[in-house]
mmCIF file of all heavy atoms in Angstrom:
data_model
loop_
_atom_site.group_PDB
_atom_site.id
_atom_site.type_symbol
_atom_site.label_atom_id
_atom_site.label_comp_id
_atom_site.label_asym_id
_atom_site.label_seq_id
_atom_site.Cartn_x
_atom_site.Cartn_y
_atom_site.Cartn_z
ATOM 1 N N GLY M 1 -16.262 -5.182 20.295
ATOM 2 C CA GLY M 1 -16.273 -5.572 18.889
ATOM 3 C C GLY M 1 -14.907 -6.101 18.506
ATOM 4 O O GLY M 1 -14.134 -6.545 19.357
ATOM 5 N N VAL M 2 -14.597 -6.022 17.229
ATOM 6 C CA VAL M 2 -13.307 -6.480 16.723
ATOM 7 C C VAL M 2 -12.713 -5.411 15.828
ATOM 8 O O VAL M 2 -13.397 -4.470 15.406
ATOM 9 C CB VAL M 2 -13.440 -7.803 15.936
ATOM 10 C CG1 VAL M 2 -13.950 -8.918 16.825
ATOM 11 C CG2 VAL M 2 -14.332 -7.621 14.710
ATOM 12 N N VAL M 3 -11.431 -5.557 15.536
ATOM 13 C CA VAL M 3 -10.778 -4.710 14.544
ATOM 14 C C VAL M 3 -11.205 -5.208 13.172
ATOM 15 O O VAL M 3 -10.924 -6.348 12.801
ATOM 16 C CB VAL M 3 -9.250 -4.754 14.692
ATOM 17 C CG1 VAL M 3 -8.583 -4.003 13.546
ATOM 18 C CG2 VAL M 3 -8.828 -4.172 16.033
ATOM 19 N N SER M 4 -11.895 -4.362 12.430
ATOM 20 C CA SER M 4 -12.405 -4.765 11.113
ATOM 21 C C SER M 4 -11.388 -4.579 10.005
ATOM 22 O O SER M 4 -11.451 -5.259 8.979
ATOM 23 C CB SER M 4 -13.672 -3.981 10.787
ATOM 24 O OG SER M 4 -14.652 -4.139 11.793
ATOM 25 N N GLY M 5 -10.469 -3.643 10.186
ATOM 26 C CA GLY M 5 -9.481 -3.383 9.158
ATOM 27 C C GLY M 5 -8.451 -2.391 9.651
ATOM 28 O O GLY M 5 -8.642 -1.713 10.671
ATOM 29 N N LEU M 6 -7.335 -2.297 8.934
ATOM 30 C CA LEU M 6 -6.233 -1.414 9.302
ATOM 31 C C LEU M 6 -5.842 -0.554 8.108
ATOM 32 O O LEU M 6 -6.128 -0.892 6.952
ATOM 33 C CB LEU M 6 -5.024 -2.227 9.774
ATOM 34 C CG LEU M 6 -5.243 -3.118 11.003
ATOM 35 C CD1 LEU M 6 -4.055 -4.051 11.185
ATOM 36 C CD2 LEU M 6 -5.450 -2.268 12.245
ATOM 37 N N GLY M 7 -5.202 0.574 8.389
ATOM 38 C CA GLY M 7 -4.710 1.432 7.317
ATOM 39 C C GLY M 7 -5.803 2.085 6.500
ATOM 40 O O GLY M 7 -5.582 2.395 5.327
ATOM 41 N N ARG M 8 -6.966 2.334 7.119
ATOM 42 C CA ARG M 8 -8.069 2.955 6.372
ATOM 43 C C ARG M 8 -7.854 4.467 6.223
ATOM 44 O O ARG M 8 -7.198 5.101 7.061
ATOM 45 C CB ARG M 8 -9.397 2.713 7.079
ATOM 46 C CG ARG M 8 -9.729 1.262 7.357
ATOM 47 C CD ARG M 8 -9.795 0.437 6.105
ATOM 48 N NE ARG M 8 -10.508 -0.809 6.338
ATOM 49 C CZ ARG M 8 -10.413 -1.877 5.579
ATOM 50 N NH1 ARG M 8 -9.630 -1.865 4.514
ATOM 51 N NH2 ARG M 8 -11.112 -2.972 5.863
ATOM 52 N N SER M 9 -8.431 5.027 5.183
ATOM 53 C CA SER M 9 -8.416 6.470 4.958
ATOM 54 C C SER M 9 -9.852 6.971 4.921
ATOM 55 O O SER M 9 -10.753 6.266 4.457
ATOM 56 C CB SER M 9 -7.702 6.810 3.653
ATOM 57 O OG SER M 9 -6.358 6.402 3.690
ATOM 58 N N LEU M 10 -10.040 8.189 5.407
ATOM 59 C CA LEU M 10 -11.400 8.739 5.501
ATOM 60 C C LEU M 10 -11.356 10.234 5.244
ATOM 61 O O LEU M 10 -10.546 10.965 5.826
ATOM 62 C CB LEU M 10 -11.982 8.462 6.893
ATOM 63 C CG LEU M 10 -13.434 8.864 7.121
ATOM 64 C CD1 LEU M 10 -14.365 8.012 6.275
ATOM 65 C CD2 LEU M 10 -13.797 8.731 8.588
ATOM 66 N N GLN M 11 -12.235 10.690 4.357
ATOM 67 C CA GLN M 11 -12.359 12.114 4.062
ATOM 68 C C GLN M 11 -13.354 12.725 5.028
ATOM 69 O O GLN M 11 -14.518 12.340 5.088
ATOM 70 C CB GLN M 11 -12.841 12.321 2.629
ATOM 71 C CG GLN M 11 -13.081 13.783 2.258
ATOM 72 C CD GLN M 11 -11.792 14.533 1.981
ATOM 73 O OE1 GLN M 11 -10.913 14.017 1.309
ATOM 74 N NE2 GLN M 11 -11.696 15.750 2.491
ATOM 75 N N THR M 12 -12.898 13.686 5.848
ATOM 76 C CA THR M 12 -13.778 14.396 6.768
ATOM 77 C C THR M 12 -13.628 15.887 6.501
ATOM 78 O O THR M 12 -12.546 16.454 6.686
ATOM 79 C CB THR M 12 -13.430 14.097 8.227
ATOM 80 O OG1 THR M 12 -12.089 14.543 8.488
ATOM 81 C CG2 THR M 12 -13.519 12.616 8.528
ATOM 82 N N ARG M 13 -14.705 16.507 6.071
ATOM 83 C CA ARG M 13 -14.669 17.918 5.684
ATOM 84 C C ARG M 13 -13.551 18.147 4.669
ATOM 85 O O ARG M 13 -13.536 17.543 3.604
ATOM 86 C CB ARG M 13 -14.532 18.811 6.923
ATOM 87 C CG ARG M 13 -15.756 18.764 7.832
ATOM 88 C CD ARG M 13 -15.626 19.685 9.000
ATOM 89 N NE ARG M 13 -14.542 19.303 9.898
ATOM 90 C CZ ARG M 13 -14.225 19.968 11.003
ATOM 91 N NH1 ARG M 13 -14.898 21.064 11.311
ATOM 92 N NH2 ARG M 13 -13.262 19.561 11.775
ATOM 93 N N ASP M 14 -12.559 19.000 5.005
ATOM 94 C CA ASP M 14 -11.496 19.292 4.047
ATOM 95 C C ASP M 14 -10.209 18.559 4.375
ATOM 96 O O ASP M 14 -9.141 18.911 3.877
ATOM 97 C CB ASP M 14 -11.236 20.797 4.010
ATOM 98 C CG ASP M 14 -10.868 21.350 5.385
ATOM 99 O OD1 ASP M 14 -11.179 20.677 6.388
ATOM 100 O OD2 ASP M 14 -10.283 22.442 5.450
ATOM 101 N N VAL M 15 -10.284 17.527 5.223
ATOM 102 C CA VAL M 15 -9.090 16.814 5.669
ATOM 103 C C VAL M 15 -9.246 15.332 5.378
ATOM 104 O O VAL M 15 -10.335 14.757 5.528
ATOM 105 C CB VAL M 15 -8.856 17.023 7.187
ATOM 106 C CG1 VAL M 15 -7.668 16.202 7.662
ATOM 107 C CG2 VAL M 15 -8.631 18.497 7.474
ATOM 108 N N VAL M 16 -8.148 14.711 4.951
ATOM 109 C CA VAL M 16 -8.116 13.266 4.763
ATOM 110 C C VAL M 16 -7.364 12.653 5.943
ATOM 111 O O VAL M 16 -6.180 12.927 6.148
ATOM 112 C CB VAL M 16 -7.434 12.880 3.442
ATOM 113 C CG1 VAL M 16 -7.349 11.361 3.317
ATOM 114 C CG2 VAL M 16 -8.206 13.459 2.264
ATOM 115 N N LEU M 17 -8.062 11.855 6.755
ATOM 116 C CA LEU M 17 -7.426 11.152 7.858
ATOM 117 C C LEU M 17 -6.882 9.831 7.334
ATOM 118 O O LEU M 17 -7.575 9.096 6.645
ATOM 119 C CB LEU M 17 -8.433 10.912 8.988
ATOM 120 C CG LEU M 17 -9.050 12.166 9.613
ATOM 121 C CD1 LEU M 17 -10.050 11.786 10.685
ATOM 122 C CD2 LEU M 17 -7.967 13.069 10.188
ATOM 123 N N ASP M 18 -5.650 9.548 7.703
ATOM 124 C CA ASP M 18 -4.951 8.409 7.131
ATOM 125 C C ASP M 18 -4.593 7.397 8.214
ATOM 126 O O ASP M 18 -4.531 7.739 9.404
ATOM 127 C CB ASP M 18 -3.670 8.893 6.436
ATOM 128 C CG ASP M 18 -3.074 7.829 5.542
ATOM 129 O OD1 ASP M 18 -3.816 6.945 5.078
ATOM 130 O OD2 ASP M 18 -1.855 7.884 5.306
ATOM 131 N N ASP M 19 -4.365 6.150 7.796
ATOM 132 C CA ASP M 19 -3.861 5.083 8.659
ATOM 133 C C ASP M 19 -4.782 4.845 9.859
ATOM 134 O O ASP M 19 -4.327 4.692 10.997
ATOM 135 C CB ASP M 19 -2.446 5.414 9.129
ATOM 136 C CG ASP M 19 -1.733 4.203 9.698
ATOM 137 O OD1 ASP M 19 -2.057 3.071 9.273
ATOM 138 O OD2 ASP M 19 -0.868 4.376 10.583
ATOM 139 N N LEU M 20 -6.091 4.813 9.627
ATOM 140 C CA LEU M 20 -7.050 4.635 10.706
ATOM 141 C C LEU M 20 -7.323 3.160 10.978
ATOM 142 O O LEU M 20 -7.165 2.304 10.106
ATOM 143 C CB LEU M 20 -8.369 5.334 10.359
ATOM 144 C CG LEU M 20 -8.318 6.837 10.136
ATOM 145 C CD1 LEU M 20 -9.686 7.354 9.739
ATOM 146 C CD2 LEU M 20 -7.818 7.558 11.384
ATOM 147 N N ILE M 21 -7.742 2.881 12.216
ATOM 148 C CA ILE M 21 -8.196 1.546 12.601
ATOM 149 C C ILE M 21 -9.709 1.493 12.428
ATOM 150 O O ILE M 21 -10.422 2.337 12.977
ATOM 151 C CB ILE M 21 -7.825 1.233 14.062
ATOM 152 C CG1 ILE M 21 -6.301 1.269 14.258
ATOM 153 C CG2 ILE M 21 -8.374 -0.127 14.482
ATOM 154 C CD1 ILE M 21 -5.882 1.151 15.714
ATOM 155 N N GLN M 22 -10.186 0.522 11.677
ATOM 156 C CA GLN M 22 -11.633 0.345 11.512
ATOM 157 C C GLN M 22 -12.127 -0.701 12.502
ATOM 158 O O GLN M 22 -11.499 -1.739 12.700
ATOM 159 C CB GLN M 22 -11.970 -0.103 10.096
ATOM 160 C CG GLN M 22 -13.469 -0.307 9.852
ATOM 161 C CD GLN M 22 -13.763 -0.900 8.488
ATOM 162 O OE1 GLN M 22 -12.938 -0.817 7.586
ATOM 163 N NE2 GLN M 22 -14.919 -1.515 8.349
ATOM 164 N N THR M 23 -13.263 -0.433 13.143
ATOM 165 C CA THR M 23 -13.816 -1.355 14.126
ATOM 166 C C THR M 23 -15.332 -1.425 14.003
ATOM 167 O O THR M 23 -15.964 -0.478 13.521
ATOM 168 C CB THR M 23 -13.445 -0.927 15.559
ATOM 169 O OG1 THR M 23 -14.027 -1.832 16.503
ATOM 170 C CG2 THR M 23 -13.963 0.470 15.856
ATOM 171 N N ASP M 24 -15.899 -2.559 14.444
ATOM 172 C CA ASP M 24 -17.354 -2.671 14.482
ATOM 173 C C ASP M 24 -17.894 -2.502 15.892
ATOM 174 O O ASP M 24 -19.092 -2.701 16.123
ATOM 175 C CB ASP M 24 -17.819 -4.006 13.887
ATOM 176 C CG ASP M 24 -17.447 -5.198 14.755
ATOM 177 O OD1 ASP M 24 -16.598 -5.043 15.655
ATOM 178 O OD2 ASP M 24 -17.994 -6.291 14.535
ATOM 179 N N ALA M 25 -17.027 -2.168 16.861
ATOM 180 C CA ALA M 25 -17.523 -1.821 18.198
ATOM 181 C C ALA M 25 -18.423 -0.599 18.067
ATOM 182 O O ALA M 25 -18.076 0.371 17.397
ATOM 183 C CB ALA M 25 -16.364 -1.537 19.148
ATOM 184 N N THR M 26 -19.580 -0.645 18.690
ATOM 185 C CA THR M 26 -20.563 0.426 18.534
ATOM 186 C C THR M 26 -19.999 1.754 19.019
ATOM 187 O O THR M 26 -19.568 1.883 20.165
ATOM 188 C CB THR M 26 -21.841 0.087 19.310
ATOM 189 O OG1 THR M 26 -22.364 -1.160 18.835
ATOM 190 C CG2 THR M 26 -22.880 1.177 19.113
ATOM 191 N N ILE M 27 -19.994 2.739 18.127
ATOM 192 C CA ILE M 27 -19.536 4.091 18.441
ATOM 193 C C ILE M 27 -20.648 5.051 18.044
ATOM 194 O O ILE M 27 -21.083 5.062 16.895
ATOM 195 C CB ILE M 27 -18.239 4.427 17.693
ATOM 196 C CG1 ILE M 27 -17.124 3.475 18.123
ATOM 197 C CG2 ILE M 27 -17.827 5.870 17.936
ATOM 198 C CD1 ILE M 27 -15.850 3.646 17.339
ATOM 199 N N ASN M 28 -21.116 5.841 19.007
ATOM 200 C CA ASN M 28 -22.212 6.771 18.768
ATOM 201 C C ASN M 28 -21.724 8.206 18.917
ATOM 202 O O ASN M 28 -20.587 8.465 19.334
ATOM 203 C CB ASN M 28 -23.359 6.507 19.752
ATOM 204 C CG ASN M 28 -24.031 5.172 19.515
ATOM 205 O OD1 ASN M 28 -24.720 4.984 18.523
ATOM 206 N ND2 ASN M 28 -23.816 4.219 20.407
ATOM 207 N N ARG M 29 -22.601 9.128 18.583
ATOM 208 C CA ARG M 29 -22.300 10.538 18.818
ATOM 209 C C ARG M 29 -21.995 10.733 20.305
ATOM 210 O O ARG M 29 -22.714 10.265 21.174
ATOM 211 C CB ARG M 29 -23.499 11.392 18.409
ATOM 212 C CG ARG M 29 -23.303 12.887 18.644
ATOM 213 C CD ARG M 29 -24.520 13.654 18.147
ATOM 214 N NE ARG M 29 -25.751 13.190 18.758
ATOM 215 C CZ ARG M 29 -26.193 13.575 19.953
ATOM 216 N NH1 ARG M 29 -25.475 14.418 20.679
ATOM 217 N NH2 ARG M 29 -27.334 13.120 20.417
ATOM 218 N N GLY M 30 -20.911 11.419 20.583
ATOM 219 C CA GLY M 30 -20.463 11.589 21.956
ATOM 220 C C GLY M 30 -19.289 10.692 22.310
ATOM 221 O O GLY M 30 -18.564 10.961 23.263
ATOM 222 N N ASN M 31 -19.088 9.619 21.531
ATOM 223 C CA ASN M 31 -17.937 8.742 21.755
ATOM 224 C C ASN M 31 -16.648 9.315 21.187
ATOM 225 O O ASN M 31 -15.560 8.799 21.479
ATOM 226 C CB ASN M 31 -18.169 7.362 21.135
ATOM 227 C CG ASN M 31 -19.060 6.476 21.974
ATOM 228 O OD1 ASN M 31 -20.226 6.286 21.661
ATOM 229 N ND2 ASN M 31 -18.519 5.938 23.043
ATOM 230 N N SER M 32 -16.740 10.345 20.355
ATOM 231 C CA SER M 32 -15.545 10.935 19.746
ATOM 232 C C SER M 32 -14.555 11.355 20.821
ATOM 233 O O SER M 32 -14.911 12.065 21.766
ATOM 234 C CB SER M 32 -15.920 12.144 18.897
ATOM 235 O OG SER M 32 -16.656 11.748 17.763
#
């Protein structure tokens, strides 16, 4: 895929993950 965006933030449970790379490369359960 490609890099869709940079510097993204995401709320996961009680934590905010910061400065993430966003991509449209297919990511499924187990790819973590």
